[in-house]
Structure formats: C-alpha cells, structure tokens
Amino acid sequence: MTTPLPPHLRRLPGLNAIVTGASGAFGSATVDVLRHLGVNVVGIDHKPGPGVIGCDVTDQTQVGEAVTEAVEQLGGRLDLLINYAGVGPSVDIGHMPDAHARQAIEVNLLGTWRVTAAALPALLQSRGRVVVTASLLANLQLPLAGAYVVSKRAVTAYSDMLRAEYGTHIGVTTVFPGYVDTPIHDSSRATGASLDGLVPAEQKRDTVMAVVRAAGAARAPRDVASTALGTAALHLTRHFPVTTENIVALQMHLLLNDGTFSDAEIAQGLHTRHGTPAAQQNAS
C-alpha cells in the first residue's frame, strides 16, 4: 500500500518542471526529490549529464535553445521552474568591478532573468509557478561578499517585479537560504575570505525541502527561508536594517582583531581601515 503524500506535496505528482543548476548541490538533490515525488524534471546546467541539458545561462541564445528543448522533452507543458544556478565570488566592493563581479551579476541575476523569460510563455499557458533562489545575504551586508550580496538583492527585486507584473497568472516564490557548505564557496575559499564558521550554517536538505514545499503548496508562498532561524534572520535583516548593520560591523571588527582573513590579500584593506594587529604587523 502506497503511503499518501502530505497535503503540502499532493499537487506535485504529474507536474512538469525545469531546474537550473541541476548538476550542482542544491539542484541535483532537488531533481532527485521531485522525481521521487512523481514530477517530470529536465535539468539545465553548464555541466550536462543524464536528464540535464548543457547550457551557459550567461548566453541568451543557449538559454533560449535549452529551455525550448526542455519544454519539448516535457511534452510541451511546463508547470514549474526552479532557478538555482549561481556563483559566490569574493570581491572588494571599493574596487572597479572585475570578472568575478560581472560573473555574479551575469549568472545570479541575469541568468535567472534569461531562463525565466524564456520559460514564461509555457508557464503562463499552464498557470505555472517560478521559484527564485535568493539568499539571506540579500539583506545582510557581509564584507567581501559584495558581488554576491548585490546580485542576490537584485534577484529578490527581480522576483518581486515578476510577481507584480505576472502574478495574476503565475505563482512566484523567493527562497532565502542561509550559509550552506557547497562548492559555490570554493572561489571565496581560494582567496582566503571564506565565510566558513563565521555565520550559522544550514544543511543542504533545509534549502531543498524549503523549495519543494514551496513548489507543492496550494498557493505559492511569497518569501520562504529554509529554517526557523533563517525566518527570524530574514525578518531582522529586512525590517531592522540599521540594527543588522551594527551587529555585522561589531562582529567583523571583533573577527578582524582576532586575525580573521589576515592571510587574504583581498582583506588587507579591511584590516588597515580597522587598524587591526594584522595591519600593524604588515606595516612594520
């Protein structure tokens, strides 16, 4: 005897879905869960594989072709689009935008925009749903994460505008994960400016299940965090920005004085401006 699905997942079996970033940590796990729940899924990722169409989301032509192919594989109907594709470089926000900054905007913001726009005709026809992955960092100004923060705040604004203009015919949900240890952080680790251990960590399954629950809800929720702590953080950062900035400033001052990022070239300006022991040692 098959165990019936809980009410918040009962609409999922038989739906057709596209998942971007489908070869990544969140995307691949979400594809597995959705397929287990009876959803027909085609993935899109720069790393193609079984059930995953190769596509660079910074290339408009590739996006159009990949989404068209995905919808064709799904029999011409699309009910759900989940946007995961993203990058997380470290930058000094006071420097001219470099390749890493441009990549964050191109992938995180414009990649989401391109894929959603390409999928929109099919989603409008089915009265479907879009899930956009932002981040708790969209409203949390952590130094050296500027390109990521800016791109994710922009993604949130894009999601809001999509809802404003198309919300009469499609559902739009923005998901706000916290820090999760995935390969997206490899580039920041390489610069010595990783957030590992500096902010509360969440588990991959927290984000995956938050997305799946949003996809399965009877009505598309507006904003969703992955955990109870994340929900509290989303409320704090959104409604008490000055308090949030003061907390982050104090925490960063304490961390820098303890030598955090002392070996990271990208953080030397921070140490100098804070007058930390590491900056004094480098000056001597």
Side-chain angles (χ1 to χ4, degrees):
M1 182 176 179
T2 304
T3 303
L5 292 174
H8 62 281
L9 298 179
R10 288 177 188 167
R11 71 177 294 272
L12 291 175
L15 295 185
N16 291 345
I18 292 175
V19 176
T20 75
S23 297
F26 292 139
S28 60
T30 299
V31 168
D32 289 344
V33 171
L34 289 176
R35 286 178 175 158
H36 177 74
L37 294 172
V39 179
N40 306 306
V41 186
V42 175
I44 289 176
D45 198 285
H46 69 284
K47 296 179 180 178
V52 179
I53 298 169
C55 174
D56 177 357
V57 297
T58 70
D59 186 310
Q60 206 143 295
T61 299
Q62 287 189 37
V63 168
E65 293 173 349
V67 171
T68 297
E69 181 181 347
V71 173
E72 289 176 352
Q73 289 186 20
L74 292 167
R77 192 187 84 245
L78 179 64
D79 306 294
L80 175 64
L81 169 64
I82 297 174
N83 289 289
Y84 275 126
V87 295
S90 294
V91 302
D92 184 327
I93 203 71
H95 291 178
M96 288 288 187
D98 60 8
H100 297 298
R102 292 192 296 272
Q103 184 189 36
I105 299 298
E106 281 288 341
V107 175
N108 298 352
L109 170 61
L110 297 180
T112 297
W113 191 332
R114 291 184 188 100
V115 175
T116 303
L120 203 54
L123 289 167
L124 288 169
Q125 188 173 9
S126 68
R127 298 277 180 143
R129 188 170 299 185
V130 179
V131 178
V132 174
T133 307
S135 170
L136 287 178
L137 290 189
N139 297 297
L140 186 63
Q141 297 80 22
L142 288 184
L144 306 182
Y148 185 76
V149 170
V150 169
S151 68
K152 288 299 186 179
R153 186 173 294 187
V155 163
T156 302
Y158 170 74
S159 187
D160 291 344
M161 287 307 305
L162 186 67
R163 187 182 301 107
E165 295 192 27
Y166 290 89
T168 53
H169 287 66
I170 61 172
V172 181
T173 297
T174 313
V175 178
F176 294 85
Y179 176 80
V180 182
D181 184 4
T182 68
I184 196 174
H185 301 290
D186 287 350
S187 61
S188 60
R189 291 188 182 110
T191 66
S194 170
L195 298 179
D196 295 332
L198 302 183
V199 293
E202 296 179 353
Q203 300 301 310
K204 178 174 68 176
R205 72 176 306 275
D206 296 328
T207 296
V208 170
M209 293 314 299
V211 168
V212 170
R213 286 193 297 269
R219 296 186 63 181
R222 187 183 193 279
D223 299 316
V224 176
S226 301
T227 64
L229 181 60
T231 300
L234 181 60
H235 179 82
L236 176 67
T237 57
R238 177 169 285 175
H239 298 290
F240 301 94
V242 175
T243 300
T244 302
E245 288 173 356
N246 289 338
I247 291 171
V248 171
L250 176 60
Q251 182 186 26
M252 286 306 302
H253 183 72
L254 293 173
L255 289 170
L256 290 168
N257 273 302
D258 285 342
T260 302
F261 305 144
S262 59
D263 296 327
E265 181 179 351
I266 194 173
Q268 296 313 302
L270 269 177
H271 280 282
T272 299
R273 291 189 294 277
H274 281 257
T276 65
Q280 296 166 9
Q281 183 177 355
N282 290 336
S284 61

